[in-house]
Amino acid sequence: MRKLNYWGIAVVIWLLIGVAFWWATSEVKDRKDPLNQSDAFVYSDNGILYWFELTSQKGKVEGTLHQQKIIEEVGKVPLIEEKKFPLTGETTARGYEFKVNNDGKFMAFDASFSNGNLVVQKQGKKDKEVYKAVDQEELDKYVKALQQELQMAIYHSEEKEKNRLRKFFSDLDSVYGYLYSAENESFQLFVKIDEALLQGELTGSLLMMTETGSKTTPYEETRYALNGITDGIMVRFFTTVDGKETKLEGNFHEGATGFDLSFWTTDQKLSFHAVTEEEFKQSYEEFKTKAQLF
């Protein structure tokens, strides 16, 4: 009986030794995994900074893909947009496979090491990107460099914005007016901007031409005074309709070529396009003649 007890104790001891040996071997193997040798793996490209923070344990990979991107939009101050994507993965025969969660949509990447850096390829794509292995201090330098790039973008954007506004208002001054014709040809609208200041203030008029369906007065036109503002992107007019102040809002297309504008008779924005004086007069006479014929 005692021998059995001794054998049982011996088996337990050997099992514990085996588990300890396996755990120690696994720990050594994990520490040697190149994913665990660096704080991050960084890739920088034209105002965009990516970096992986990764850990590998027993063949499984966890981490985060970081993205910092300089966003430059017309009429707005440049800024850095930052995103973080959770990542899972596993070791493969050729290296690793990562699955990045982008708001519920998963992107798969293959990765392997070359000269100490992580080579990453999105599955289904030919291009490969080399992510440099860095420590925290080196990573901070990359982040700081992007911030300095942002400051330069802000500096240059101010001059770009001034040039854009000067060109926009110069083009706007050369436009005779803006025309909209209803698809069913029941009415036509013509916006004429009489004065546009570089500070964004607008004054002008809106001419509304309407088919009435009446035999005695088949055609009717009404003119509304307009005051408004624009920055070359958005446009906002104010006028008085039936004794009530009415706001018309919209956006210019590309430059001063046209704009979409809300109107009090419809829920949809109407698309106005620039016309010359001759084009307007032709359209005006054609609309008036057609209305009178019916």
Side-chain angles (χ1 to χ4, degrees), residues 194-245:
D194 298 320
E195 185 178 34
L197 302 180
L198 190 58
Q199 292 78 9
E201 297 175 2
L202 305 173
T203 56
S205 62
L206 167 65
L207 176 64
M208 183 174 184
M209 300 157 277
T210 311
E211 285 186 1
T212 64
S214 170
K215 292 183 179 180
T216 55
T217 55
Y219 169 79
E220 181 180 82
E221 62 179 57
T222 310
R223 192 177 298 274
Y224 301 89
L226 295 177
N227 290 288
I229 56 173
T230 184
D231 60 0
I233 301 173
M234 73 82 186
V235 60
R236 188 175 299 139
F237 290 116
F238 298 89
T239 189
T240 301
V241 181
D242 297 330
K244 295 181 180 180
E245 184 178 75

Side-chain angles (χ1 to χ4, degrees), residues 236-239 244-249 261-264:
R236 188 175 299 139
F237 290 116
F238 298 89
T239 189
K244 295 181 180 180
E245 184 178 75
T246 302
K247 180 169 64 174
L248 311 177
E249 293 183 288
L261 194 67
S262 62
F263 194 62
W264 61 85

